[in-house]
């Protein structure tokens, strides 16, 4: 038995994996990873895989990065963790100062959570509680975009709209207001991203005009709707949204959990619209992909609405056991050092251009509807019919064939439905990008050529829609 098989068998007896139908592993091997270095992951049999998805969008400077490693090692000998209520520590103070400094002017206070979903919960609760504290208890609903994703906890799912993740739990969700997304995949022929995003804003304007008295906040994934299939839109939408939120007295929550820290080409996506949200949620790449940590930044105005004598019960009595963990903060500080010292945002421009060039030919493929890119994220949408953009039935799982082909070639590509994408660590080289493009091209050829037998869905879940 190979070492991989040995670990796989032990794993499957006891580990229940995330976002996985465990039965798939009757035919699909699980890959136990022994070590990582830079963009590479290495399994127990010595096979290497290029991590094209940054291990679920978290890793930006490679695995086992010496600079981040050293910072964590230094920190662990000093202080591994301490309660953050009544106590503080150097890494959390320094990190908060730096986050306030590098984010748009006016985001002055940082509240910590330990993962992206709970950071969304923090922003939603804070927004609602702010309106309550200033005497507007009716403002308690949230506006969200169609096809958005904000995490897996109940309220985070409530403001999300990717059917694959939320439909099953519909009975448990909050009542939110859904507005059609500015997603440029659906722009009519000959219409620019900017025009389309601007046109789609009319839906948002109308919703705010009708409901602002009962709306606490609008929440969006700026520029890229990630889990919804790497769908993209123009910054003009964010600019219009900021103006409208001001006019209607509604908070704007930016979920930059996936797009923050350089993914869209700027350090934060909101910079491209020249705006400041009322709440900015950060996680994923915040620690370079090392440790779970999330930060919700907000304004002094919001902070002030909670600042009062204890018996008024205006305080934000929310906590997580690992709030502001020192090791995670140390990893985040090392990550911010690298951004600064290596001038990463500037250096990424050449890499992004290279990604675009390496994938451009796929736009001509008979079963590719679109190749789209925003900064260091590029997506290739496979379709059944190119002219009408008719999607493959989701049950066919075409993306799975790309995934399997890529593994055989030594790359970790994990398509979202029929959308193949690269969201690589920023330490990737042009040659490695070329390799990924080659593997993706082969994978797409295999996946779109094959006949697929469709397994019948579970009749208990009639609501399932195509995840992308
Ligand atoms: C991943 C993600 C989340 C949830 O973060 P977790 O740490 O996985 O809970 C929320 N919003 C967006 C946009 C994400 O991509």
């Amino acid at each position: 038995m190979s070492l991989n098989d040995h670990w796989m068998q032990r794993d499957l007896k006891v580990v229940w994996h995330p976002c996985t139908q465990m039965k798939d592993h009757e035919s699909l091997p699980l890959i136990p990873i022994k070590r990582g270095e830079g963009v590479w992951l290495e399994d127990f049999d010595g096979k290497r895989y290029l991590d094209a998805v940054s291990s679920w969008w978290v890793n930006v400077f490679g695995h086992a990065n010496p600079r981040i490693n050293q910072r964590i090692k230094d920190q662990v000998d000093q202080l591994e963790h301490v309660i953050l209520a009544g106590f503080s520590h150097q890494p959390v103070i320094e990190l908060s100062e730096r986050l306030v400094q590098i984010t748009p002017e006016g985001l002055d206070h940082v509240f910590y959570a330990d993962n992206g979903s709970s950071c969304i919960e923090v922003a939603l609760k804070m927004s609602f509680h702010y309106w309550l504290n200033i005497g507007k208890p009716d403002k308690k609903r949230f506006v969200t975009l169609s096809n958005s994703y904000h995490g897996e906890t109940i309220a985070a799912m409530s403001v999300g709209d990717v059917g694959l993740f939320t439909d099953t739990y519909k009975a448990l969700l909050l009542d939110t207001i859904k507005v059609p997304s500015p997603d440029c995949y659906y722009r009519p022929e000959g219409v620019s991203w900017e025009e389309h995003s601007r046109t789609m804003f009319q839906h948002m304007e109308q919703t705010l005009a009708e409901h602002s008295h009962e709306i606490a906040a609008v929440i969006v994934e700026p520029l890229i709707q990630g889990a919804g299939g790497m769908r993209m839109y123009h910054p003009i939408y964010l600019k219009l949204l900021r103006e409208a939120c001001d006019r209607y007295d509604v908070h704007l929550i930016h979920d930059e959990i996936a797009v923050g820290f350089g993914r869209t080409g700027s350090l934060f996506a909101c910079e491209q619209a020249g705006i400041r949200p009322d709440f900015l949620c950060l996680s994923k790449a915040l620690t370079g992909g090392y440790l779970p940590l999330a930060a919700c930044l907000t304004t002094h105005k919001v902070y002030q609405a909670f600042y009062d004598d204890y018996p008024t019960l205006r305080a934000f009595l929310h906590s997580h056991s690992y709030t502001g963990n020192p090791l995670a903060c140390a990893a985040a500080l090392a990550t911010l050092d690298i951004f600064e010292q290596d001038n990463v945002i500037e250096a990424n421009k050449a890499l992004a251009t290279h990604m675009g060039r390496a994938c451009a030919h796929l736009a001509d493929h008979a079963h590719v509807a679109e190749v789209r890119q925003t900064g260091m994220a590029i997506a290739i949408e496979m379709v059944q019919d190119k002219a009408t953009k008719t999607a493959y039935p989701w049950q066919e799982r075409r993306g799975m064939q790309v995934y399997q082909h890529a593994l055989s070639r030594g790359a970790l590509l994990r398509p979202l439905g029929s959308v193949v994408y690269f969201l690589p660590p920023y330490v990737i080289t042009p040659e490695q990008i070329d390799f990924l493009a080659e593997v993706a091209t082969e994978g797409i050829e295999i996946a779109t050529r094959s006949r697929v037998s469709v397994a019948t869905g579970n009749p208990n879940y009639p609501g399932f829609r195509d995840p992308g």
Side-chain angles (χ1 to χ4, degrees):
M1 189 178 17
S2 76
L3 277 173
N4 271 8
D5 288 342
H6 168 85
W7 287 108
M8 175 172 77
Q9 285 180 16
R10 281 175 62 177
D11 175 291
L12 292 176
K13 281 203 181 100
V14 288
V15 183
W16 191 343
H17 289 265
C19 203
T20 299
Q21 170 49 266
M22 293 300 294
K23 188 164 185 283
D24 278 354
H25 286 305
E26 287 181 8
S27 54
L28 186 72
L30 177 83
I31 300 167
I33 293 300
K34 185 177 181 184
R35 55 187 295 276
E37 188 184 356
V39 295
W40 296 102
L41 295 165
E42 187 181 317
D43 71 18
F44 278 79
D45 292 338
K47 187 171 167 65
R48 300 208 302 166
Y49 308 87
L50 203 165
D51 188 353
V53 299
S54 296
S55 282
W56 257 348
W57 323 348
V58 298
N59 189 296
V60 280
F61 297 129
H63 297 279
N65 183 294
R67 286 189 269 180
I68 305 175
N69 287 6
Q70 192 57 50
R71 190 78 175 236
I72 295 173
K73 286 177 192 169
D74 294 344
Q75 183 58 42
V76 79
D77 284 334
Q78 193 72 30
L79 174 69
E80 78 303 327
H81 186 66
V82 64
I83 176 174
L84 199 66
F87 287 75
S88 192
H89 53 84
Q90 190 173 338
V92 81
I93 296 166
E94 287 179 359
L95 179 60
S96 308
E97 287 172 351
R98 285 180 73 175
L99 289 175
V100 165
Q101 194 197 340
I102 62 176
T103 52
E105 173 120 34
L107 292 170
D108 294 332
H109 300 272
V110 192
F111 193 96
Y112 290 90
D114 40 26
N115 63 72
S117 303
S118 36
C119 187
I120 295 297
E121 304 277 335
V122 166
L124 298 175
K125 281 176 71 176
M126 257 188 197
S127 173
F128 163 79
H129 197 164
Y130 168 89
W131 297 114
L132 193 66
N133 279 353
I134 68 157
K136 295 187 174 174
D138 290 342
K139 287 170 82 70
K140 58 188 176 195
R141 295 182 76 190
F142 298 100
V143 177
T144 118
L145 295 177
S146 59
N147 198 38
S148 55
Y149 177 86
H150 297 289
E152 305 286 1
T153 52
I154 305 275
M157 265 199 299
S158 302
V159 290
D161 181 47
V162 180
L164 180 68
F165 306 124
T166 59
D167 281 359
T168 309
Y169 307 101
K170 240 178 195 147
L172 305 179
L173 305 185
L174 300 174
D175 171 35
T176 55
I177 302 174
K178 189 171 30 176
V179 171
S181 159
D183 183 351
C184 290
Y185 180 66
Y186 296 113
R187 72 194 184 284
E189 187 133 1
V191 170
S192 71
W193 280 32
E194 178 166 359
E195 272 175 87
H196 183 68
S197 298
R198 195 185 275 281
T199 306
M200 291 306 286
F201 188 75
Q202 290 165 11
H203 299 283
M204 180 63 80
E205 177 76 37
Q206 195 182 340
T207 299
L208 291 174
E210 279 169 28
H211 295 279
S212 65
H213 62 282
E214 53 168 346
I215 296 172
V218 178
I219 179 167
V220 294
E221 290 163 272
L223 304 188
I224 305 177
Q225 295 190 299
M230 295 295 156
R231 293 292 180 74
M232 299 170 185
Y233 59 92
H234 193 274
I236 188 68
Y237 192 88
L238 300 173
K239 208 174 151 76
L240 295 170
L241 181 57
R242 174 73 275 178
E243 286 163 12
C245 285
D246 286 343
R247 251 187 297 124
Y248 290 109
D249 208 17
V250 161
H251 286 144
L252 175 57
I253 302 172
H254 267 204
D255 174 355
E256 295 217 15
I257 289 166
V259 298
F261 301 100
R263 189 54 68 182
T264 63
S266 47
L267 190 57
F268 300 106
C270 53
E271 294 170 23
Q272 295 188 36
I275 60 151
R276 169 189 57 68
D278 299 291
F279 298 90
L280 177 63
C281 296
L282 303 173
S283 187
K284 288 202 165 114
L286 171 60
T287 61
Y290 267 67
L291 287 158
L293 182 71
C296 178
L297 283 91
T298 190
T299 61
H300 193 60
K301 185 175 174 185
V302 169
Y303 179 81
Q304 273 300 323
F306 291 79
Y307 196 92
D308 207 340
D309 297 324
Y310 190 86
T312 62
L313 285 179
R314 283 168 174 238
F316 192 57
L317 301 180
H318 178 114
S319 63
H320 297 286
S321 310
Y322 285 98
T323 300
N325 174 260
L327 295 173
C329 290
L333 285 165
T335 301
L336 293 183
D337 282 347
I338 297 174
F339 269 106
E340 233 174 77
Q341 291 162 7
D342 295 7
N343 205 3
V344 172
I345 299 300
E346 200 48 41
N348 278 356
K349 285 182 182 158
L351 282 177
T353 305
H354 195 90
M355 273 207 312
R357 268 199 227 115
C359 295
H361 66 280
L362 283 164
D364 298 328
H365 192 282
H367 287 284
V368 170
E370 183 177 70
V371 177
R372 53 180 173 268
Q373 182 179 16
T374 298
M376 288 297 287
I378 194 161
I380 302 134
E381 182 126 3
M382 299 187 291
V383 287
Q384 192 164 47
D385 186 281
K386 191 177 174 103
T388 57
K389 289 186 176 173
T390 306
Y392 283 114
W394 63 268
Q395 299 92 332
E396 292 182 4
R397 304 180 80 185
R398 302 260 170 180
M400 189 64 111
Q401 296 187 40
V402 179
Y403 173 73
Q404 283 175 286
H405 173 73
L407 287 180
S408 75
R409 292 279 270 116
L412 164 48
L413 286 174
R414 198 174 192 277
L416 291 153
S418 298
V419 178
V420 180
Y421 69 91
F422 309 160
L423 235 90
Y426 308 153
V427 292
I428 195 167
T429 65
E431 293 71 32
Q432 289 165 341
I433 289 172
D434 291 340
F435 166 68
L436 284 182
E438 189 181 302
V439 171
T441 304
E442 295 162 1
I444 288 167
E445 193 51 39
I446 292 167
T448 57
R449 228 190 305 139
S450 70
R451 291 180 183 281
V452 181
S453 64
V454 178
T456 39
N458 182 343
N460 293 326
Y461 295 79
F464 264 26
R465 285 175 291 130
D466 187 340

